[in-house]
Amino acid sequence: MSVAALSVHLVKSLMSGRVWLALVTVYVVWGSTYLAIKWTVQTMPAFASAGVRFTFAGVVLGVFARVRKGPAPWRLDAARWRNAAICGVLMLAGGNGLVVLAETRVPSGLAALLVAVVPLWMIVLRGALGDRVPLFTMVGVLVGLAGAALLLLPGSGGSHIDVGYALLVVLAALSWAVGSVLVTRLRVPDDPGVMSSVEMLAGGVVLLVASAGRGELSDLRLGDISGKSWFSLAYLVVFGSIVAFSAYVYALSNGPTSLVATYAYVNPLVAVFLGVLLDHEHLTATELAGGLVIVASVGVVVSAEGRHRRRTAELVVAEPGDPVGAR
């Protein structure tokens, strides 16, 4: 092997190592956020804690994007500002906010398993909007949603499950999926840092308003908040919303999309493991069966989607002005 070829090989290996490091960060950190949320809401109001998390993280990401790339990425038309804000409200206020509220009554591991159906909801929404979805993919989606239904069967979770609050997680997953689909179809900011900052600020502000509407702020006493909850909130802000997001963007920009998408079915496994190990959570046999069905179906669907996109990319050449590029 020549020196030049060896150098190229070493550079590729190094980049691959960094991609895997970023992906493992996403696996562990995003998987652990479910338990951190549960510990946060033990002594903090649900919407208030989530609102503070995303508002603060949005400001930090916005400042970082401004310092790193200057004012140019922020020069957006009204439509891009509006679309980014709408997606942020759907994904962070509707998606994450409802999960935070649900985890006041639902174990973190179960919440993570129900959230895992997000990719399945996205396929359903794409089909409803007219996209062609392969039959094998739709079968995987139906199996996965059946697994979610299994988790919600009366009595399947035992007395420790509040089915009403568990349904909030299903609604949260649907809200996140709607926001995720809209991101790919609307004109939004091109810069990932700007996009995420606007999304987080919009979602955070809506959550704070919802918190005030629920009376959380009037009843809040800082002295009643435990150190464990403060630490968990700080972890969610720094690692969950800033570090893991940055790692996700890096992995997505430098690695295969099909590989990065594996976080969708690894995160729930990490969440269940940490809930059992660190918080003595337990899942019934029915819940374990339902969870395994969901994770397996998500894995099958993600893999099938990756193959379908590769085949489509080989057959279709995007024309100038392609709406994906226009974003």
Side-chain angles (χ1 to χ4, degrees), residues 7 25 68 91 117 142-143 154 197 206 212 305:
S7 299
T25 300
R68 185 166 176 260
M91 296 172 70
V117 301
L142 293 176
V143 171
S197 177
V206 168
E305 280 290 287

Side-chain angles (χ1 to χ4, degrees), residues 32 59 61 64 67 72 83 91-92 98 104 107 155 169 172 181 185 194-195 199 296 302 314:
S32 67
V59 170
L61 284 173
F64 180 75
V67 171
N83 294 339
M91 296 172 70
L92 300 176
L98 290 178
T104 60
V169 183
V181 171
R185 293 171 181 263
V194 173
M195 177 64 181
E199 285 182 310
V302 168
E314 292 172 356

Side-chain angles (χ1 to χ4, degrees), residues 84-289:
I86 290 173
C87 293
V89 171
L90 286 168
M91 296 172 70
L92 300 176
N96 191 276
L98 290 178
V99 170
V100 174
L101 180 61
E103 284 203 49
T104 60
R105 303 282 185 86
V106 174
S108 62
L110 179 62
L113 291 173
L114 289 172
V115 170
V117 301
V118 165
L120 308 183
W121 282 129
M122 291 176 65
I123 300 296
V124 172
L125 291 169
R126 281 177 39 210
L129 291 172
D131 287 1
R132 179 181 176 278
V133 179
L135 178 61
F136 184 73
T137 298
M138 281 308 304
V139 171
V141 168
L142 293 176
V143 171
L145 294 180
L150 187 62
L151 291 176
L152 298 172
L153 284 176
S156 66
S159 59
H160 68 296
I161 300 299
D162 187 311
V163 177
Y165 276 76
L167 285 172
L168 283 180
V169 183
V170 176
L171 181 60
L174 179 58
S175 182
W176 186 282
V178 172
S180 299
V181 171
L182 288 179
V183 164
T184 67
R185 293 171 181 263
L186 299 177
R187 294 172 62 240
V188 296
D190 295 315
D191 185 83
V194 173
M195 177 64 181
S196 297
S197 177
V198 175
E199 285 182 310
M200 289 188 183
L201 286 171
V205 169
V206 168
L207 283 166
L208 290 175
V209 171
S211 174
R214 295 185 73 233
E216 290 182 353
L217 300 180
S218 60
D219 296 333
L220 180 63
R221 294 180 179 82
L222 296 181
D224 294 337
I225 300 175
S226 69
K228 185 178 184 180
S229 291
W230 280 119
F231 176 83
S232 298
L233 179 61
Y235 178 85
L236 288 170
V237 172
V238 176
F239 290 95
S241 296
I242 298 175
V243 173
F245 167 76
S246 300
Y248 175 73
V249 170
Y250 178 85
L252 202 58
S253 301
N254 295 277
T257 302
S258 58
L259 175 63
V260 179
T262 57
Y263 85 91
Y265 50 91
V266 175
N267 284 168
L269 301 178
V270 173
V272 170
F273 174 75
L274 291 177
V276 172
L277 180 67
L278 301 178
D279 207 54
H280 307 294
E281 293 183 355
H282 69 278
L283 297 176
T284 65
T286 303
E287 290 171 346
L288 284 173

